[in-house]
Amino acid sequence: MNGIISALLMTLIAGSATGIGGALVLFKKKISSNFLAGALGLSAGVMIFISLAELYPEAQAEIMTSTSGKFAETWVLVAFFIGMGIITLIDFLIPEYENPHEAPGLTLEARTPAVGMLEQTGNEKALHRLGLMSALAIAIHNFPEGIATFIGALNNPEVGAGITFAIAIHNIPEGIAVAIPIYYATRSKGKALIYATLSGFSEVIGALLCLAVTATFGIELSGGGVIFPLILSAVAGIMIYISLDELLPTAEKYGKHHIAIAGVVAGMAIMAVSLLLM
């Protein structure tokens, strides 16, 4: 039970980071683009290394202890790409103009899409709708991320801490994407911050849903059985996709190429050292 509570707490910490993004853009005049690019690269490095050096090998080892079937490792590989497919489908269903991973401006004075829409149309209701739809898109997108954080933390607290950190950094630009249009539509920093924060809580809902489904069907989430390694592999696929499709492109938009890549290398090195010391 303590492991489940700790995993849920890590998921809550990761999800609430959207509120940090909202607070940064609302209450700080300027956010360093190079800093954010490096942080996003660091997040991607952590996710990629954990997925390929820890989660996927663990899934293969687990499946071989649970079954000696000829195609056991093949199913782990299939699950990996199913995880990628799930997050790809979610991205496909979200309209591009509402996609939270299209990097917005880093300051309220910047020429953001929200500013342009308000100047062109003067329609604050449409702008408010954009903010709400961005929040909804992020909430839907965060479901599998919440599951990934929860499963990783439940399987290995040290790995879970790395995933929590990576997802939290990844959620900061999402909070910015929600806060800016809500602020320009309502001129209320409080409302913008609330919406930005709430958009990340779907990660906890995703974790709770995962817990409820697995408990209903008697699936063991901390090792053993055939289903667990498949879930672990799917989580690795989800995190690899997030890194390649969201974190790295966003980091490139925010800062210089070499800063983003340096962040990736640093993230990998930090996780490599931490896993050696475990």
Side-chain angles (χ1 to χ4, degrees), residues 243-265:
S243 300
L244 299 180
D245 183 68
E246 300 167 13
L247 294 179
L248 292 180
T250 304
E252 290 280 348
K253 291 179 182 178
Y254 277 139
K256 297 177 181 178
H257 170 78
H258 291 296
I259 293 176
I261 296 302
V264 173
V265 175

Side-chain angles (χ1 to χ4, degrees), residues 114 124 127-128 130-132 134 176-186:
E124 292 183 348
L127 195 60
H128 190 258
L130 174 63
L132 291 178
S134 294
I176 296 172
V178 175
I180 287 180
I182 292 294
Y183 170 75
Y184 276 108
T186 64

Side-chain angles (χ1 to χ4, degrees), residues 170-257:
H170 153 262
N171 280 344
I172 290 175
E174 295 186 343
I176 296 172
V178 175
I180 287 180
I182 292 294
Y183 170 75
Y184 276 108
T186 64
R187 294 295 172 179
S188 169
K189 290 185 176 181
K191 288 182 179 180
L193 183 58
I194 289 172
Y195 279 112
T197 304
L198 289 178
S199 67
F201 283 158
S202 65
E203 295 203 3
V204 179
I205 297 174
L208 291 172
L209 182 62
C210 175
L211 182 61
V213 169
T214 53
T216 300
F217 292 97
I219 300 171
E220 178 61 53
L221 284 177
S222 57
V226 177
I227 301 298
F228 171 72
L230 299 182
I231 294 175
L232 208 61
S233 182
V235 165
I238 288 171
M239 293 205 301
I240 291 292
Y241 182 92
I242 290 171
S243 300
L244 299 180
D245 183 68
E246 300 167 13
L247 294 179
L248 292 180
T250 304
E252 290 280 348
K253 291 179 182 178
Y254 277 139
K256 297 177 181 178
H257 170 78

